[in-house]
Amino acid sequence: MLDADQWQQVVGQAVRAPSIHNTQPWLFAATGDRLDVRLDPGRALPAIDPTRRQQVVSCGVAVHFAVVALAALGHAGEAELVPDPADPDHLATIRVTGAREPSAAERELAGAIARRHTDRLPFLDRPVPTGLVDELQAEIGRDGVWLKPVSREDEEAATVFLLGQVEQLEQRDPAYLAELHAWTRTDPTASDGVPVAALPEGDRSRRPSNWLVRDFVADPGAARPPAPAAADDEPPPSVEHPAVLLLGTMSDDRAGWLQAGQALGRLLLRVTVAGLAASPLTQALDQPWARNRLSHRLALVGHPQMLLRLGYPAGEAVASGRRPVAEVLRVD
Ligand SMILES: Cc1cc2nc3c(=O)[nH]c(=O)nc-3n(C[C@H](O)[C@H](O)[C@H](O)COP(=O)(O)O)c2cc1C
């Protein structure tokens, strides 16, 4: 049985999970040896995520981080995914099943929770080892979850095109822009939302990459300083070579979304240990028509849940805030 302090430690790690717009859409309740995870009804994003798919994926990552944190504290934990039609916001129950000495690898993965940040800056001009991608595919690809590198030229072209197309449409949608604005933070001490310091500066058209991260600045003219003009003789910047990975599931319901989140959590910790960083490119998956189109273009079997770019970071990524544990955890 864990005491209140230990549950606070575990949930303190779980809430380091990434979440769409850093909404942290989770609530936890601990009783004895069990931790229940619920979707917070107050933090929905109706414009970008009307079905709450991306928020449930986010909660799936938090579930995985909680199990990793338990393991590092010497407790074996098992997550049961329980979206119940009668209470669909009750997403998962984690049960402590016994005590056991954490392995060095488990300690390392738990240590990566605090070091992992979404890194939207261009990565170094250094390819991700294909061996690592193969290992990730083998580790992630089970129980109805798959990981597909978007590496063929035609697939890359189709995906990049779709990203641009969705983003253009979204940037014309006042509800989408209002939501982006409401969840972007200029105060670096904010406990939620995406800090502007974590967003790339400058002219998007000059980013040395095919892969454009989501444009968080809803009013570019007002918020961005004008980019300095490039000198004619300035050498072109070195182009990043991210690995782009598409994670998907065979089912497309809350259980499937949670599984996608757990797999995403596993992947993110694994790549952090390997010295890499990641950032989601989920514009391509915000809209049902875009998800369908991507499935069709890439001849996918199952449902795409998360598109990620992965690479070697050029520097330290900025950490974003988190709500205090006391705000999201009840211990009975
Ligand atoms: C389901 C999901 C979708 C996300 N989509 C995007 C995205 O499209 N673009 C982006 O830059 N970040 C995206 N993020 C990253 C979040 O903005 C980020 O996790 C959050 O701001 C917290 O920051 P951190 O990951 O550095 O802790 C996504 C995260 C999740 C879990």
Side-chain angles (χ1 to χ4, degrees), residues 14-239:
V15 300
R16 295 301 324 164
S19 60
I20 176 86
H21 289 6
N22 199 17
T23 43
Q24 304 163 47
W26 39 63
L27 291 171
F28 300 86
T31 331
D33 63 359
R34 93 181 241 174
L35 181 69
D36 288 291
V37 185
R38 299 187 65 86
L39 189 59
D40 186 337
R43 306 179 77 81
L45 296 171
I48 194 181
D49 191 23
T51 60
R52 307 199 74 181
R53 183 186 66 82
Q54 301 200 55
Q55 289 198 317
V56 174
V57 170
S58 310
C59 290
V61 187
V63 167
H64 181 70
F65 282 13
V67 172
V68 171
L70 276 170
L73 284 175
H75 302 283
E78 267 174 24
E80 189 192 343
L81 308 181
V82 286
D84 170 354
D87 182 13
D89 287 351
H90 180 203
L91 299 176
T93 299
I94 299 166
R95 285 201 174 75
V96 178
T97 53
R100 64 175 180 66
E101 192 56 29
S103 65
E106 284 171 330
R107 285 211 179 89
E108 211 176 12
L109 289 170
I113 291 179
R115 292 204 317 277
R116 182 218 59 85
H117 306 295
T118 297
D119 188 343
R120 301 177 182 84
L121 297 180
F123 294 134
L124 294 180
D125 173 16
R126 174 178 167 197
V128 175
T130 48
L132 175 67
V133 174
D134 292 345
E135 280 170 33
L136 291 172
Q137 266 190 297
E139 281 171 32
I140 302 300
R142 54 184 146 109
D143 303 330
V145 180
W146 47 260
L147 188 70
K148 174 186 165 51
V150 181
S151 47
R152 269 190 12 215
E153 244 173 62
D154 57 330
E155 293 181 340
E156 176 171 331
T159 311
V160 166
F161 180 76
L162 192 67
L163 274 176
Q165 208 181 12
V166 177
E167 184 123 36
Q168 245 184 25
L169 289 173
E170 288 187 328
Q171 289 289 337
R172 287 192 218 127
D173 173 3
Y176 170 87
L177 292 179
E179 226 166 59
L180 266 193
H181 186 66
W183 288 96
T184 306
R185 301 279 180 265
T186 48
D187 174 0
T189 65
S191 64
D192 62 9
V194 181
V196 287
L199 302 173
E201 287 179 358
D203 184 351
R204 272 161 64 85
S205 64
R206 288 179 38 209
R207 186 180 171 94
S209 178
N210 284 345
W211 298 99
L212 289 186
V213 297
R214 190 188 293 277
D215 190 0
F216 277 85
V217 182
D219 182 355
R224 274 211 191 94
D232 287 346
D233 55 356
E234 199 177 284
S238 59
V239 173

